[in-house]
Amino acid sequence: MTEAETRASRWLEAWDRQGTHRTGTPGDRAGAEWLAAQAAALGGEVSVQEFAFERLDPALAYLDIGDERVTGVPVFDAPNGPIDGIEGRLGAEIAVHELTPRAVYSGEFRQLREVAGHQGLVVLCKGEAPGLGLLNAEQFKTPYGMPAIHLPSESRQLVLGAAERGAMARLFAYSRRRESRAANVVVTLKGSDPSRSPLVVMTPRSSWWQSTAERGGGIVCWLESLRVVIAAPPVRDVIFTANSGHELGHTGLDEFIARRWAKVGGADWVHFGANLGAAGGVLSLVSNQDDLRALGLAELNAAGHPPDDMPWKWFVPSGETRDIHHAGGRYLTLVGTNRLFHLPQDRWPHAVDLPAIARIAQAAAAMVVNLSR
């Protein structure tokens, strides 16, 4: 095992042990504390920047069909239903749709939730593997549509069969919101030329589950880049931010920008997105700038891990990069695919390709060092 693989292995094992990383949960707090300690050990001056938000605590999330009860997870940006449930025919008053976690990025999910005539919605999860492949709550701050829950893919035959018959069912979708706090982990490295616009290096650090392949590769790239830039002091300011609130409408990025916009408005952005080095995954290099695309391609080739895909520069990306794209920012994003995307099975070690993560992190660090000069 190489030194880079050893570091990545240590970081990923620690990440996996923290538990579920959903925003505002104990696992999310443990992740922030651990990441801050790792960044400080590398020599960074760390700021853990807390922000307030309303955490959603599920109370009732299940579907009763006759004597059968299927337990699920709420759709986190849907309104509550009545505490005694919504009764109706499956496929009529209670809509049923099979959706992948990526449905939120196409607009399909919003359209289905705003169709008139339905009182509730059942989302049958349809990931690349069985289980609860949850959809992100893009409108977490402003819930919309009808009460809705996710059900695991294993209930497909029961639920679709009942919908085909127009069977009566009762949908329970009731949760409580409570005041809570989450945190972004921020490290600022001062450059030798303060007149230069800054470089922002960001990665999300929250998710529905442990999400070791989904989030872990980005965390490794973030830490490896920080380690290398500390060893080669930058010319421009470099701001590293690892944000909570990813699965809940990018609330952490919103907080970061609100606090720092005066400093980062003209910045270049490097985003370490989801699924970097996931086992069997495909790597994409996404940028809206020719110079950044060329840099990313050169460093990935040099590390022995060329991208599998490079969308055209006018492509509108998903995730946090979309927010930067719409704001007119310059960005370079690495993002991958993952067979266990948004599933509880995304765990160490089987979900990750350790040599791939080490190579991608090597390239990521080289990109950041180059852009810091």
Side-chain angles (χ1 to χ4, degrees):
M1 188 180 293
T2 67
E3 290 183 10
E5 289 172 5
T6 299
R7 284 192 298 273
S9 174
R10 185 175 70 249
W11 289 331
L12 291 168
E13 279 193 83
W15 179 261
D16 192 84
R17 287 196 301 267
Q18 293 157 13
T20 296
H21 291 100
R22 179 163 61 84
T23 303
T25 62
D28 182 37
R29 290 192 292 276
E33 292 168 1
W34 170 82
L35 187 59
Q38 296 302 306
L42 293 173
E45 190 171 322
V46 184
S47 173
V48 178
Q49 299 182 352
E50 290 193 349
F51 58 91
F53 83 110
E54 284 191 319
R55 191 178 75 202
L56 187 142
D57 291 333
L60 305 173
Y62 52 85
L63 181 71
D64 286 343
I65 309 172
D67 295 332
E68 298 272 5
R69 172 166 289 182
V70 185
T71 301
V73 173
V75 170
F76 272 55
D77 57 0
N80 271 337
I83 198 165
D84 59 347
I86 298 166
E87 187 173 38
R89 293 165 296 160
L90 283 175
E93 290 83 14
I94 301 174
V96 178
H97 292 286
E98 283 190 283
L99 296 171
T100 76
R102 298 193 178 279
V104 294
Y105 302 126
S106 67
E108 175 187 10
F109 195 29
R110 172 174 283 280
Q111 293 171 7
L112 293 175
R113 291 169 62 179
E114 294 181 330
V115 173
H118 301 304
Q119 299 174 29
L121 170 65
V122 170
V123 175
L124 275 172
C125 296
K126 189 181 180 182
E128 293 183 50
L132 276 163
L134 305 182
L135 282 71
N136 284 347
E138 298 285 280
Q139 301 296 320
F140 179 72
K141 293 180 181 178
T142 55
Y144 72 98
M146 64 194 84
I149 63 172
H150 303 87
L151 294 183
S153 59
E154 292 89 341
S155 64
R156 179 180 190 274
Q157 185 174 353
L158 169 66
V159 175
L160 291 183
E164 188 174 343
R165 300 191 306 272
M168 294 297 294
R170 187 175 289 272
L171 171 69
F172 291 84
Y174 184 83
S175 302
R176 298 182 179 90
R177 288 190 177 235
R178 56 181 291 184
E179 291 299 319
S180 185
R181 299 189 73 78
N184 297 331
V185 178
V186 180
V187 181
T188 300
L189 303 180
K190 291 293 186 181
S192 58
D193 183 356
S195 69
R196 293 274 304 279
S197 62
L199 173 67
V200 179
V201 181
M202 69 171 175
T203 195
R205 60 161 207 83
S206 68
S207 57
W208 294 115
W209 313 104
Q210 253 99 339
S211 309
T212 303
E214 179 190 346
R215 296 273 68 100
I219 295 292
V220 170
C221 288
W222 192 90
L223 284 168
E224 192 69 15
S225 297
L226 178 63
R227 184 185 72 84
V228 174
V229 176
I230 286 173
V235 174
R236 66 200 299 195
D237 289 356
V238 184
I239 304 168
F240 287 79
T241 182
N243 301 329
S244 192
H246 164 76
E247 75 287 6
L248 305 181
H250 310 162
T251 52
L253 177 60
D254 289 347
E255 286 290 331
F256 173 80
I257 290 174
R259 295 185 188 194
R260 296 260 184 166
W261 184 250
K263 295 182 179 179
V264 305
D268 288 341
W269 296 75
V270 175
H271 177 206
F272 302 134
N275 309 316
L276 300 180
V282 170
L283 177 66
S284 293
L285 168 64
V286 185
S287 179
N288 60 351
Q289 303 293 324
D290 290 332
D291 60 328
L292 299 182
R293 287 162 61 87
L295 171 63
L297 180 60
E299 297 299 354
L300 285 166
N301 283 333
H305 201 101
D308 301 288
D309 182 45
M310 283 182 63
W312 293 109
K313 61 183 179 182
W314 49 80
F315 168 77
V316 179
S318 59
E320 280 83 350
T321 308
R322 179 190 58 202
D323 301 347
I324 306 305
H325 179 93
H326 287 319
R330 287 167 44 90
Y331 58 84
L332 190 163
T333 292
L334 300 180
V335 64
T337 62
N338 178 4
R339 177 174 178 275
L340 300 177
F341 186 57
H342 285 203
L343 286 162
Q345 305 96 291
D346 182 354
R347 299 291 306 277
W348 170 265
H350 62 267
V352 304
D353 180 339
L354 190 60
I357 288 177
R359 292 192 300 269
I360 295 168
Q362 175 188 335
M367 294 174 203
V368 173
V369 168
N370 187 295
L371 289 170
S372 73
R373 294 172 176 161

